[in-house]
Amino acid sequence: ILTILGNSAVLATAVKRSSLLKPPELLTVNLAVADVGMALSMYPLAIASAWNHAWLGGDASCVYYALLGFLFGVCSMMTLCAMAVIRLLVTNSSKSSSNKITKNTVCILIAFIWLYSLLWAILPLVGWGYYGPEPFGISCTIAWSKFHNSSNGFSFILTMFLLCTVLPALTIVACYLGIAWKVHKAYQEIQNIDRIPNAAKLEKKLTLMAVLISVAFLSSWTPYAAASFWSIFNSSDSLQPVVTLLPCLFAKSSTAYNPFIYYVFSKTFRCEVRKLRCCCGWRVHYFSSDASAEHAVSMWSG
């Protein structure tokens, strides 16, 4: 619910301000699309399976769930990587050269991210790697446990781990370290804090927001990656079901954090959310007043 409401607010704000969006902000929109897509297409099936205490459906629904989880997960990771690279380019370039990052360039980059993610998601379907149920039995993912006795599966997981996890994560860390060093040197040259331009302060805030988004995502997925990597070399029975379940739930929570980060750091987003709240509150008030003027109340007033 938090994922759908929060990221829907992000998308509604983006649609309303589409003509004012800067090219790098399209990556933020793409991240919200991936989060909403994951919540709508996967979470209801996982929740129903949890209530059922067993996976609902057969192999087809398991492959469907695992494929979409892999698709949206890789898409989010590569989007965060692209955000970090673009922020580094904008920070280290002059104003004239930073304008070269156009909306068409970012749209092509987003298309490449989706095609790259789709390619990796399809590979297990054509014989390189496998999809299967999680050890706790109420969701599906890449069949990690099959890889310690399969050269085909092991080559897939090793390549995927390097190209979809390690390299993007290292790129994100390297880019933000480079930005931090650039900002540190720039602030050292300006002795008086009151003389720091507003543009520099805004750039620092945007960078901090992007860093927090990346940290939230990587922190959410690191326990799951560690548990999954463990199951490559060890039997899944060596871990208690709760030990494999909690990292999975924590990883899925990554889709809910970003709107809260935007709300804290973006004054524009806060204003748009308040307008959406007022609009929804007015509608509830309007419809309830038709039924009973005495008890008309807005859902946001309390």
Side-chain angles (χ1 to χ4, degrees):
I1 292 172
L2 290 176
T3 296
I4 293 172
L5 291 179
N7 287 286
S8 294
V10 174
L11 295 177
T13 301
V15 170
K16 188 175 181 181
R17 299 174 55 82
S18 58
S19 60
L20 301 176
L21 286 180
K22 297 179 180 178
E25 291 176 328
L26 294 177
L27 291 170
T28 302
V29 176
N30 190 56
L31 200 58
V33 169
D35 289 343
V36 169
M38 183 176 288
L40 291 176
S41 62
M42 296 171 56
Y43 293 177
L45 185 56
I47 293 169
S49 297
W51 282 105
N52 190 52
H53 300 286
W55 179 251
L56 292 175
D59 294 338
S61 64
C62 186
V63 170
Y64 157 82
Y65 185 94
L67 184 146
L68 289 179
F70 196 19
L71 171 66
F72 291 126
V74 174
C75 179
S76 297
M77 186 65 169
M78 300 311 297
T79 300
L80 291 172
C81 183
M83 288 172 64
V85 172
I86 287 181
R87 287 236 59 81
L88 179 66
L89 293 176
V90 170
T91 301
N92 289 335
S93 61
S94 62
K95 185 175 181 181
S96 58
S97 59
S98 65
N99 289 334
K100 294 180 181 179
I101 303 176
T102 64
K103 284 190 176 182
N104 287 337
T105 302
V106 176
C107 287
I108 293 173
L109 179 59
I110 290 173
F112 172 78
I113 288 172
W114 281 102
L115 289 175
Y116 182 81
S117 305
L118 184 62
L119 171 65
W120 279 102
I122 290 177
L123 285 176
L125 300 181
V126 296
W128 195 28
Y130 312 94
Y131 287 132
E134 299 269 18
F136 50 85
I138 57 173
S139 71
C140 295
T141 184
I142 297 170
W144 306 95
S145 59
K146 291 185 179 180
F147 297 154
H148 67 278
N149 57 6
S150 168
S151 58
N152 175 39
F154 184 78
S155 62
F156 171 78
I157 190 60
L158 187 61
T159 307
M160 182 274 294
F161 191 70
L162 287 174
L163 297 182
C164 298
T165 304
V166 175
L167 287 181
L170 290 178
T171 301
I172 291 170
V173 172
C175 286
Y176 287 129
L177 286 177
I179 293 172
W181 176 252
K182 178 77 174 181
V183 171
H184 173 70
K185 296 296 289 184
Y187 272 62
Q188 273 189 332
E189 295 175 0
I190 305 175
Q191 299 297 327
N192 187 355
I193 192 69
D194 295 329
R195 294 176 55 194
I196 296 177
N198 288 333
K201 295 179 180 178
L202 177 61
E203 190 68 28
K204 183 179 179 181
K205 179 185 284 190
L206 292 174
T207 300
L208 180 58
M209 182 175 72
V211 168
L212 287 177
I213 292 170
S214 299
V215 167
F217 183 86
L218 294 175
S219 300
S220 300
W221 281 94
T222 297
Y224 180 76
S228 300
F229 209 69
W230 169 272
S231 66
I232 296 175
F233 304 100
N234 302 272
S235 172
S236 57
D237 297 333
S238 62
L239 295 176
Q240 294 294 325
V242 68
V243 177
T244 56
L245 172 62
L246 292 179
C248 183
L249 295 178
F250 190 44
K252 286 180 169 63
S253 72
S254 65
T255 58
Y257 300 146
N258 293 343
F260 293 99
I261 297 174
Y262 303 147
Y263 191 86
V264 171
F265 283 90
S266 174
K267 184 178 179 181
T268 301
F269 183 61
R270 285 199 300 272
C271 293
E272 293 297 333
V273 168
R274 287 170 187 154
K275 290 178 182 178
L276 288 173
R277 289 173 57 186
C278 292
C279 180
C280 293
W282 177 83
R283 287 174 181 170
V284 172
H285 178 86
Y286 176 80
F287 287 119
S288 62
S289 64
D290 289 343
S292 174
E294 288 185 22
H295 301 289
V297 61
S298 167
M299 63 182 292
W300 299 105
S301 62

